[in-house]
Amino acid sequence: MEVDDSNGALVNKSEENDFEKKGSSDPVVYQLVRVEGDGTLVPATEDDVLEFEHFLQDEKVDRPSIEDAGHVEEVLSNSNDCILLKKSDSEGNLYRISSSPCNFKNMHIIAQENRLQLLDDSLSPPRVVRVQQPDKFLTEQGDSNITQQDNASTETTKSTVLNDSCGAEKDKADACSRPVDDTSTEPSVSGVTGSVPDFSILRGEVCLDDLTIRELQEAFRATFGRQTSVKDKIWLKRRITMGLTNSCDVPSSGCVVKDYRIVGKDGRQDISNIGEIPKIGLQSNLVRDQGIYPGNERDSPSSSYYQSEDQQGFSKRFKRVPIHNDEPQGNLLAEPCTNKRTRKPTKRYIEELSDNETHDSIGKLSSPAKRTPHDEVSLKLRAAPFHELESLGGIYPTRKYTLGGLNVHVPYASRMRRGRPRKDFISFVDTEPSVQCNGVKTAAGMMLAKECEEGNHVRKASEVPPTVNSETGHLEAIDTKVVQNLETNFYKAASKPKIKRGLTRKHHRAWTLCEVMKLVDGVARFGAGKWSEIRKLSFSSYSYRTSVDLKDKWRNLIRATQTQLPAQKDVGVCPRKINPSIIPIPTSILLRVKELNELQSQGGGFTRPVKLSGQNSKVVKGIGSGFL
DNA sequence: ATTAGGG
DNA sequence: CCCTAAT
C-alpha cells in the first residue's frame, strides 16, 4: 500500500491575509487524497481537487449550512490530522482532507460543523486555489510509513473507539515531529498514562466544570485517545466538549455534556453537529481560544465515536501527518512546517500537471483515431467536388463533409492544405474576380485577337473542355453552361470559371498558341529554367501564368516533342479532329522546342538567343504536331 | 521566391 | 495543375 507522494494538496493562498490577522506566518496546507475502498490512499486527482476547491469556495463565501454545502454527505471522521469526508461522489469515494499541523484546528472546526469550513479561526476564509504536491511534507512526516502502521492498527483496533494503541501510536508519531520541548510535556499527565484511558469519566452526564485539571486531562485522553499536558482548564473543557459533541460550538464554560451532546445548564442543548448551523459568536470563542494556544491542539475533537471501523482506520492512518502542535506552544513560527507549507510544487507535481495538460491537449487535438479519418477526408475532398462551390457567394469559409455518419464542418482555412492554398482563396476574395480577372481577360483577348486571330475559333472550343475536365462535377456544369453560352464569346468563357479559382485548383487555362510561342521565345532567349525571367519579360500580361506554369508547359512541350513528332508521321492525317479539345501544336513550334531543348540540355543550359522570325514564320504554317 | 521533379 | 523538396 502506498501513500503516494503525489497527494494533492490544497494550498491556502490567502495565507497572507489569514495569518497576518492571526499574527502567524504559517500558511495553511491542505492535503486532499482519496481513500479507496481498501483504505489505500490515492492522491487526489486534479479533478478531485477541483471538486473540493469548488466546495471549499462555496464554504468560504457564505458559510452555507451543510445542506448548502451539499458536496459533503457526511463527515466520517475527523482527527487531529485529517478529516474524512464522504463526498457526493458518484462512485462513493471517500476523501480525506488534512491540514498541516499548525492549522489542523481549522479543519477541526470544519469537521465539527460537519461541513467544510476552511476558515481560519477568524472570519477570513482561506482560499484554496492551487494544488501542491506535499512530497516534502509527507516525507518529513513519515507519512508513508505511518500509513502502513495505521493499516495494521486499523485492523487490530476496530471497534474500539479509543484505544491505547491508537493513542500510543499517535504519541509516537507525535514525538517524531513534535518539537523537543513538546515531548517533555507529554508525561505530565501522570497516573493516567495507563494503557487504557478512563472512559468512565465520560459516561453519563459530564460536567466538565467540576473536574480537576487532571481529570480533564484524563477526559481529554479518553476523548481523543492521547494525552495532553495542557493545564488550562478552559481549554481542556472546550476541547473535550468539542470532542464529545463533535462540535465546535462549545461554550467556554458552564455546559454539561450528556450523551455526547451539550446540555447547557440553562437548558441549552444539542448544539452539536449535524445540520446545525454554527453560530459565529461561538466560533469566535473558539477562535479566541485557539489564539491563546496558537497552533496547538492538533487534536480535533476526535470523532472516533462516530467513526466506523474503516473510518477509524483512516483517521489513524493519518495521525502522524500533523503532529507538531499537540500542546499549546505559542510559537507557530518555530514549526518546521512553515517551510513545507510554502514550498513550491514539486517537480513531480509539475510533471503530473504536465501530463494532464498533455493528455488534455491530446484530447483536444484530433486524436490519432480521428486524425486518420480526417486526413482521409481531406484527401477525399481533394479528389471530390467541393460542395461550397455550389454557393460561391459565401459558404467557402467552411466545408462540410460526412465522417462516420456525422456532418462535420471544417473551416476551410484550418483544413489541411490540400486544395488551393489560402492565399489563393484570399486573392480570390480580394482582387481576382473583378479587377485582375478582367485585366487578364482583356489582355489575353487582345493578345489572341491580335496575334492569333486565325486560331480563335479553334481556341474557343479548346479553351473550355479542359476546364470542365479538370474541375469538379459542379464546376463542370457551370462550365458547360458557359461553354454553351459563350460559344461565341471566348472572353466570358475564360473569365467566368475564374471565379471559382479560390476554392479549388487554379482554373485551368489552356495554353494558347501565342503563349506557347512566347514561351518558346522566352526559353530561346533566356534559356530553360529562367522561368521567372521569362515570365517577367514575356508573360507580364499573363498574370495567371506563373513561372511554374511556364516550367510545366515547357516540360510538356518537350514531351510532346518526344511523342508527337514521331507519332505525327505514323498517324498521318490528324485524327484529333474528332476531339476539338485537343489542339495539335504546330510542328514548327515543336521542332523548335526540340531544338532548344537539345541545344540547351547539351550545352549545359547555355543560353543562345534564337531568331524566331524567319524560321518561325515558316514553320508555323506547317501542320500542327503537338497540343496546346 | 525560384526551380526541379514527381504526381 | 498540384505539391514538395531543395535552393
Side-chain angles (χ1 to χ4, degrees):
Chain A
M1 148 160 349
E2 300 174 359
V3 171
D4 359 347
D5 26 26
S6 56
N7 290 339
L10 304 178
V11 177
N12 172 10
K13 251 210 179 157
S14 61
E15 49 197 43
E16 285 186 51
N17 295 333
D18 295 336
F19 289 94
E20 282 177 2
K21 291 176 183 175
K22 293 197 297 182
S24 167
S25 63
D26 246 340
V28 180
V29 177
Y30 303 106
Q31 299 176 5
L32 178 61
V33 297
R34 195 178 64 206
V35 183
E36 297 289 22
D38 60 355
T40 304
L41 299 180
V42 176
T45 64
E46 212 166 38
D47 289 341
D48 291 337
V49 174
L50 287 177
E51 289 182 58
F52 264 93
E53 280 189 338
H54 211 250
F55 171 69
L56 297 173
Q57 296 248 328
D58 289 344
E59 289 295 338
K60 79 184 176 189
V61 171
D62 52 3
R63 300 186 176 203
S65 62
I66 187 161
E67 294 88 348
D68 294 331
H71 300 69
V72 173
E73 295 171 353
E74 182 181 357
V75 175
L76 298 178
S77 85
N78 79 70
S79 66
N80 300 329
D81 311 328
C82 69
I83 298 172
L84 276 180
L85 299 172
K86 185 176 181 185
K87 199 171 159 300
S88 297
D89 188 333
S90 60
E91 298 174 3
N93 292 320
L94 295 178
Y95 293 90
R96 178 195 75 154
I97 292 182
S98 64
S99 67
S100 62
C102 297
N103 299 281
F104 84 98
K105 58 181 176 250
N106 290 335
M107 303 306 292
H108 170 74
I109 293 171
I110 292 163
Q112 287 302 309
E113 295 174 354
N114 198 16
R115 49 183 208 164
L116 258 188
Q117 195 161 11
L118 296 189
L119 304 175
D120 63 341
D121 298 333
S122 68
L123 298 178
S124 59
R127 291 194 173 181
V128 181
V129 291
R130 71 190 178 95
V131 182
Q132 187 175 52
Q133 182 182 359
D135 281 355
K136 184 180 173 185
F137 185 74
L138 292 175
T139 299
E140 292 184 2
Q141 309 219 353
D143 200 353
S144 59
N145 291 335
I146 283 145
T147 297
Q148 292 182 355
Q149 287 182 349
D150 289 350
N151 282 339
S153 64
T154 297
E155 298 183 352
T156 59
T157 62
K158 292 179 179 175
S159 58
T160 305
V161 172
L162 296 172
N163 66 49
D164 218 23
S165 67
C166 181
E169 207 171 304
K170 196 159 244 171
D171 287 345
K172 219 192 276 179
D174 290 354
C176 296
S177 56
R178 191 183 304 142
V180 178
D181 57 311
D182 212 338
T183 307
S184 64
T185 64
E186 203 61 33
S188 65
V189 184
S190 60
V192 284
T193 50
S195 58
V196 178
D198 181 6
F199 294 107
S200 62
I201 198 168
L202 299 176
R203 291 194 186 107
E205 186 171 304
V206 179
C207 182
L208 297 177
D209 284 356
D210 298 334
L211 300 178
T212 65
I213 292 176
R214 182 166 172 171
E215 288 171 330
L216 287 172
Q217 287 177 334
E218 178 60 12
F220 181 95
R221 187 187 174 204
T223 302
F224 298 114
R226 66 183 186 85
Q227 299 174 17
T228 182
S229 60
V230 174
K231 296 178 180 61
D232 185 309
K233 253 189 167 182
I234 295 174
W235 184 86
L236 287 170
K237 285 188 288 186
R238 281 185 52 77
R239 282 300 184 191
I240 293 167
T241 302
M242 289 190 297
L244 292 177
T245 60
N246 194 31
S247 169
C248 66
D249 287 335
V250 177
S252 53
S253 65
C255 66
V256 174
V257 176
K258 183 177 183 179
D259 296 330
Y260 306 131
R261 286 185 177 183
I262 295 174
V263 180
K265 287 177 179 176
D266 56 353
R268 180 188 174 193
Q269 60 183 359
D270 201 7
I271 61 174
S272 55
N273 41 19
I274 313 291
E276 193 71 22
I277 299 175
K279 293 177 178 61
I280 300 300
L282 292 175
Q283 286 184 338
S284 297
N285 284 340
L286 178 57
V287 170
R288 232 183 298 122
D289 289 349
Q290 290 174 337
I292 294 171
Y293 308 106
N296 253 344
E297 203 42 28
R298 67 192 170 105
D299 282 14
S300 54
S302 173
S303 59
S304 299
Y305 290 99
Y306 312 103
Q307 287 179 273
S308 68
E309 296 175 3
D310 287 345
Q311 292 159 2
Q312 191 173 12
F314 292 154
S315 66
K316 282 195 284 183
R317 189 167 297 117
F318 299 105
K319 64 191 167 195
R320 274 188 190 172
V321 173
I323 297 173
H324 307 271
N325 22 324
D326 207 12
E327 313 300 2
Q329 294 170 12
N331 186 4
L332 287 176
L333 298 180
E335 294 292 329
C337 62
T338 298
N339 290 335
K340 298 170 194 172
R341 288 172 179 168
T342 58
R343 80 191 187 288
K344 296 176 182 178
T346 64
K347 182 182 177 182
R348 175 171 175 176
Y349 173 68
I350 293 171
E351 289 174 352
E352 284 183 3
L353 286 182
S354 298
D355 287 346
N356 286 338
E357 288 185 8
T358 300
H359 294 156
D360 287 345
S361 62
I362 289 174
K364 289 174 183 177
L365 295 177
S366 55
S367 64
K370 284 183 179 179
R371 281 182 189 180
T372 301
H374 185 274
D375 285 349
E376 288 177 358
V377 169
S378 296
L379 294 175
K380 286 179 182 176
L381 285 175
R382 185 189 179 189
F386 295 134
H387 297 295
E388 56 270 36
L389 289 176
E390 294 177 346
S391 51
L392 298 172
I395 293 186
Y396 44 77
T398 64
R399 61 183 67 231
K400 182 171 68 179
Y401 59 87
T402 300
L403 175 60
L406 298 177
N407 288 328
V408 181
H409 287 271
V410 178
Y412 183 85
S414 66
R415 262 182 76 251
M416 202 74 101
R417 181 172 154 259
R418 302 298 292 174
R420 291 300 302 161
R422 187 190 181 88
K423 61 182 179 181
D424 287 307
F425 172 77
I426 292 173
S427 66
F428 159 68
V429 172
D430 290 342
T431 61
E432 274 274 20
S434 55
V435 181
Q436 192 173 14
C437 189
N438 289 336
V440 169
K441 173 187 65 184
T442 300
M446 291 176 65
M447 229 293 250
L448 291 171
K450 267 190 193 173
E451 302 177 13
C452 313
E453 286 184 19
E454 48 183 355
N456 258 359
H457 62 286
V458 177
R459 260 180 248 110
K460 279 187 288 186
S462 66
E463 185 74 20
V464 175
T467 298
V468 173
N469 292 338
S470 61
E471 296 298 345
T472 67
H474 186 75
L475 190 54
E476 221 171 295
I478 290 177
D479 281 354
T480 301
K481 285 183 184 176
V482 171
V483 171
Q484 294 172 349
N485 294 335
L486 304 180
E487 198 76 71
T488 59
N489 191 335
F490 166 76
Y491 304 120
K492 285 184 182 177
S495 64
K496 195 107 183 189
K498 215 176 175 185
I499 295 172
K500 308 172 186 77
R501 265 184 57 179
L503 297 180
T504 175
R505 53 170 24 197
K506 177 181 175 184
H507 176 246
H508 178 259
R509 283 177 170 277
W511 278 72
T512 65
L513 183 60
C514 298
E515 288 174 307
V516 172
M517 284 171 16
K518 281 180 173 292
L519 175 61
V520 173
D521 184 59
V523 170
R525 288 201 296 170
F526 306 103
K530 307 293 182 184
W531 309 119
S532 62
E533 288 190 55
I534 296 173
R535 190 183 72 82
K536 281 180 192 170
L537 300 179
S538 302
F539 287 81
S540 58
S541 56
Y542 302 87
S543 63
Y544 50 87
R545 298 298 183 198
T546 67
S547 57
V548 173
D549 292 329
L550 301 185
K551 179 259 298 177
D552 287 341
K553 182 58 180 175
W554 182 252
R555 183 174 54 179
N556 289 336
L557 288 175
I558 301 282
R559 291 173 183 169
T561 278
Q562 297 168 345
T563 61
Q564 294 183 31
L565 278 179
Q568 182 187 350
K569 295 173 183 176
D570 298 342
V571 173
V573 186
C574 58
R576 283 88 171 164
K577 220 172 173 183
I578 300 172
N579 187 350
S581 66
I582 299 176
I583 300 170
I585 294 175
T587 304
S588 60
I589 293 178
L590 281 183
L591 289 175
R592 202 158 158 253
V593 167
K594 183 179 180 179
E595 180 184 349
L596 287 173
N597 179 42
E598 291 174 351
L599 230 151
Q600 295 188 8
S601 63
Q602 291 175 5
F606 196 79
T607 300
R608 175 178 69 90
V610 178
K611 279 283 180 177
L612 300 177
S613 54
Q615 204 178 15
N616 209 18
S617 59
K618 197 169 53 179
V619 178
V620 166
K621 288 178 181 176
I623 300 171
S625 63
F627 300 95
L628 285 177

